[in-house]
Amino acid sequence: MALWTPDPTFYPSPRDAASAPAERLAYVAAFDRRAARPDAIAVLDTDTTSPTYGEVVGWTDLPNTGDELHHFGWNACSSALCPYAPHPHVERRYLVVPGLRSSRIHILDTKDRISPEIVKVVEPEELARRAGYSRPHTVHCGPDGLYVSALGGAGGEDGPGGIAVLDHRSFEVLGRWEVDRGPQYLAYDFWWHINHDVLVTSEWGTPSMIEDGLVGELLLGRKYGHKLHFWDLRKRRHLQEVDLGDQYQMPLELRPAHDPTRTYGFVGVVTSVEDLSASVWTWFHEDGRWQARRVIDIPAEPAAAEDLPDILKPFGAVPPLVTDIDLSVDDQRLYVSCWGTGEIKQYDVSDPFKPVEIGSLRIGGIVGNTAHPALDAPLRGGPQMVEVSRDGRRVYVTNSLYGSWDDQFYPEGVGAWLAKIDAESFTFDERFFPNGDAFRGLRPHQVRLQGGDASSDSYCYP
């Protein structure tokens, strides 16, 4: 796994990453809601000159059932070029793929093959014994190890959630990242301002709060997460929490500026219990403390009760349900997926405190069921996970959130599809729309791009 020279897919700066060659493959985590057959990693051809462009060209079944693959990442990335990185010669070679329900972590080798090969499985007992966690969720590669967030505690405990660290090479669980947790209890995503030694975490809920669907009583009781936490990255100590207000439930995906000299970022909030709107906030450091400001509001859309799933009938509206956001590598464009209304929005965020909406597309949606131009048929599900290419020209979106939540909001079935958008014209690519049987009965969730993407790398040089 060691190289004499740095991996060519590592880039010192976001500028270098944006000028790199386009991806030719996309890796997609897909899961079986029934847990009757193994989940899989599907591999898509993204080379526009290929005769199999837009098709599933590789496939790897996992060894067990019931994993529910969710978010995954690379074993190593551009952070390996940071001046204090102890592993400058690792390769971006392995996909690190957690099962959110099973607590297993799968290591898949992508080198010199289309279909990745499973080379190691970290069993839940090791994660629990070494780090005290369960329900691994998000993977990020740091300069000193692999970081994996987890929603639950060990031994059946519902929490607290936190971060485990794995070795870059052996993938052994080294232990719990936090030395001083402070008031943090709920977990979800995490990212960092790596040159400023600051780590940021967000909140969803404990396993019992999310695994069987959204619990209306907990939502209306404002019991889901509503805070951001800021940490000393080197000392692994909690510094400060920022409460967005308990009406703003579930701040999920964190997208810090890629420019390592900047200390701001964006977080998407799923819903407000006051009006079912969704929002995006900018965090920043000012006057000696971390703060957050709401910069985007997306209102709910009125709908007839008979067109709504049971959970929404009393409200007579479709919430946007912002469940993912993604920031282009040049920090100029923010993409916001509204899984409920079936809308993907594009914002100019050159001023991170004054985003300007510059594009919108509809596909799927709880009420709209808007078709894709390549398939003249109603679609269920909506834009959920969103991934942007390094050069910012291509945007990929998938339609499944989490099995039990899919079933709540799309009780007639969520289907399976993955769409590609041209970022400049903000139109769907009609040649690229794998759907239905292409995913062999599984539901696609997150996408990772060959050589990295807008949400997998951190850079240490501007």
Side-chain angles (χ1 to χ4, degrees), residues 98-136:
L100 186 52
R101 284 190 182 270
S102 69
S103 296
R104 298 185 190 97
I105 302 174
H106 308 82
I107 313 300
L108 289 85
D109 188 354
T110 68
K111 188 170 184 177
D112 300 328
R113 66 200 79 205
I114 298 297
S115 298
E117 177 187 357
I118 298 169
V119 295
K120 183 181 178 69
V121 178
V122 179
E123 295 294 343
E125 294 78 12
E126 182 180 355
L127 181 63
R129 178 174 56 85
R130 301 280 304 191
Y133 290 130
S134 63
R135 307 303 182 91

Side-chain angles (χ1 to χ4, degrees), residues 198-262:
V198 172
L199 182 137
V200 190
T201 64
S202 62
E203 299 183 337
W204 187 12
T206 63
S208 68
M209 296 170 70
I210 62 102
E211 63 185 355
D212 295 323
L214 179 67
V215 182
E217 294 81 3
L218 293 177
L219 179 68
L220 296 177
R222 309 184 182 205
K223 300 298 185 183
Y224 286 96
H226 48 88
K227 298 175 182 177
L228 300 181
H229 299 270
F230 294 86
W231 309 71
D232 186 308
L233 179 57
R234 292 288 186 92
K235 294 181 179 179
R236 300 153 58 193
R237 291 188 170 95
H238 190 279
L239 296 174
Q240 183 188 339
E241 69 176 21
V242 174
D243 193 336
L244 306 184
D246 63 10
Q247 69 269 40
Y248 296 107
Q249 291 280 283
M250 294 174 282
L252 297 185
E253 306 297 337
L254 301 168
R255 304 297 179 216
H258 295 88
D259 182 342
T261 68
R262 308 298 298 274

Side-chain angles (χ1 to χ4, degrees), residues 182-322:
Q184 179 267 331
Y185 189 84
L186 299 178
Y188 182 74
D189 197 13
F190 69 98
W191 251 121
W192 42 56
H193 296 294
I194 200 164
N195 278 13
H196 299 268
D197 289 333
V198 172
L199 182 137
V200 190
T201 64
S202 62
E203 299 183 337
W204 187 12
T206 63
S208 68
M209 296 170 70
I210 62 102
E211 63 185 355
D212 295 323
L214 179 67
V215 182
E217 294 81 3
L218 293 177
L219 179 68
L220 296 177
R222 309 184 182 205
K223 300 298 185 183
Y224 286 96
H226 48 88
K227 298 175 182 177
L228 300 181
H229 299 270
F230 294 86
W231 309 71
D232 186 308
L233 179 57
R234 292 288 186 92
K235 294 181 179 179
R236 300 153 58 193
R237 291 188 170 95
H238 190 279
L239 296 174
Q240 183 188 339
E241 69 176 21
V242 174
D243 193 336
L244 306 184
D246 63 10
Q247 69 269 40
Y248 296 107
Q249 291 280 283
M250 294 174 282
L252 297 185
E253 306 297 337
L254 301 168
R255 304 297 179 216
H258 295 88
D259 182 342
T261 68
R262 308 298 298 274
T263 53
Y264 73 86
F266 300 95
V267 59
V269 174
V270 174
T271 196
S272 164
V273 297
E274 295 184 342
D275 57 11
L276 295 187
S277 66
S279 55
V280 177
W281 299 60
T282 299
W283 78 74
F284 58 100
H285 193 262
E286 188 173 274
D287 298 329
R289 62 190 181 95
W290 291 98
Q291 305 179 52
R293 182 181 304 165
R294 197 171 77 254
V295 295
I296 296 172
D297 281 301
I298 305 172
E301 299 180 356
E306 59 267 24
D307 295 331
L308 295 171
D310 289 345
I311 193 170
L312 295 177
K313 286 184 186 299
F315 303 100
V318 179
L321 300 178
V322 166

